[in-house]
């Protein structure tokens, strides 16, 4: 099914599809996904879009059919995960937790009812883990990758990893690998304008950036005319 993926939005229906093997304690046959994200591709927006679509499709299923434990998305910030489980003042390079995802849910989700739902979904392998920014793990990356490849994936937990760079040989045979394209300049401007309407300070920053670009353009034209 992943062969037909042409954009990130196509991932959501695949992850929400019924999975009778998981219901009976088996390991899902869904291949984990690795998204290689170059700069200016809107990495946070991409994962939020996938998470939203998964939640929307899962809620729309009404809980009917074989897969009663409907998929629930969880965006896990690698930066926050590492800061939580491996304090900066620690000389060790491990994550100091048997199961980082469980620890992350317990620490980050304040709502008790939601926390219990996420933990139950994780136990049932209905939690879709969206791991954001693997390249931001720093010196904890080896430990995090070991947990990902040796624990999370063998359990059959649906997983999407997004990173700017990875050791591809370690992932190529076990992940479906996709390259994200950088946003076109027009798309970046549209997203900035959309955010600026809801966050005033972003609007001011965008105005400063436009002024700087115009200043650079005038400087090049006048100082180095062709």
């Amino acid at each position: 099914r992943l062969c037909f993926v042409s954009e990130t939005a196509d991932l959501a229906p695949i992850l929400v599809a019924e999975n009778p093997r998981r219901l009976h304690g088996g390991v899902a046959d869904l291949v984990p996904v690795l998204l290689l994200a170059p700069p200016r591709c809107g990495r946070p927006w991409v994962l939020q879009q996938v998470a939203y679509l998964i939640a929307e499709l899962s809620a729309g299923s009404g809980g009917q059919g074989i897969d009663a434990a409907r998929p629930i998305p969880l965006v896990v910030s690698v930066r926050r995960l590492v800061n939580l489980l491996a304090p900066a003042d620690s000389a060790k390079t491990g994550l100091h937790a048997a199961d980082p995802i469980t620890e992350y849910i317990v620490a980050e989700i304040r709502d008790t009812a939601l926390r219990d739902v996420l933990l139950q979904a994780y136990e049932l392998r209905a939690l879709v883990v969206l791991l954001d920014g693997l390249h931001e793990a720093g010196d904890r990356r080896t430990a995090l990758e070991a947990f990902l490849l040796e624990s999370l994936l063998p359990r059959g937990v649906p997983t999407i990893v997004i990173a700017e760079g990875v050791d591809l040989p370690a992932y190529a045979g076990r992940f479906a690998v996709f390259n994200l394209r950088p946003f076109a300049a027009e798309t970046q401007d549209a997203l900035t304008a959309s955010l600026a309407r809801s966050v005033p300070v972003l609007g001011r920053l965008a105005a400063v950036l436009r002024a700087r670009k115009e200043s650079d353009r005038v400087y090049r034209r006048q100082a180095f005319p062709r």
Side-chain angles (χ1 to χ4, degrees):
R1 291 175 293 177
L2 288 170
C3 297
F4 300 99
V5 170
S6 60
E7 57 185 32
T8 52
D10 296 334
L11 295 171
I14 297 173
L15 292 165
V16 175
E18 291 184 351
N19 184 2
R21 294 184 65 186
R22 183 175 64 231
L23 183 65
H24 296 290
V27 175
D29 56 1
L30 182 64
V31 177
V33 174
L34 171 63
L35 302 176
L36 297 178
R40 299 183 300 280
C41 73
R43 191 188 85 219
W45 183 85
V46 166
L47 277 189
Q48 292 296 337
Q49 179 199 37
V50 174
Y52 173 82
L53 292 173
I54 291 172
E56 184 179 55
L57 291 171
S58 186
S61 69
Q64 303 299 318
I66 296 176
D67 199 356
R70 289 172 289 172
I72 301 175
L74 176 68
V75 177
V76 176
S77 165
V78 169
R79 184 178 298 177
R80 292 180 67 86
L81 178 66
V82 169
N83 290 340
L84 173 67
L85 301 178
D89 58 357
S90 172
K92 297 181 180 179
T93 57
L95 291 175
H96 309 166
D99 191 326
I101 301 301
T102 296
E103 296 295 327
Y104 185 88
I105 294 171
V106 171
E108 293 291 315
I109 307 302
R110 304 302 181 186
D111 185 288
T112 303
L114 176 58
R115 183 194 309 150
D116 290 343
V117 168
L118 292 174
L119 290 173
Q120 183 179 23
Y122 184 45
E123 183 67 25
L124 294 172
R125 296 183 292 278
L127 188 71
V128 181
V129 176
L130 307 173
L131 201 60
D132 180 22
L134 183 62
H135 59 286
E136 296 179 341
D139 57 1
R140 317 288 174 168
R141 180 165 174 168
T142 299
L144 182 58
E145 287 185 316
F147 167 74
L148 172 66
L149 298 173
E150 299 170 13
S151 180
L152 197 63
L153 298 190
R155 284 186 55 197
V157 177
T159 305
I160 297 178
V161 178
I162 188 166
E164 288 188 5
V166 298
D167 179 20
L168 273 180
Y171 290 83
R174 306 177 66 176
F175 283 74
V177 181
F178 297 93
N179 291 294
L180 296 179
R181 293 191 297 268
F183 283 146
E186 296 79 6
T187 304
Q188 293 184 51
D189 291 342
L191 287 172
T192 301
S194 176
L195 288 171
R197 287 192 291 270
S198 57
V199 185
V201 68
L202 290 180
R204 292 193 290 272
L205 289 173
V208 171
L209 180 60
R210 288 194 297 270
R212 174 62 185 272
K213 288 182 177 179
E214 178 61 19
S215 176
D216 289 346
R217 185 184 67 82
V218 171
Y219 173 79
R220 287 193 299 269
R221 185 179 61 193
Q222 296 183 357
F224 304 100
R226 294 185 178 181

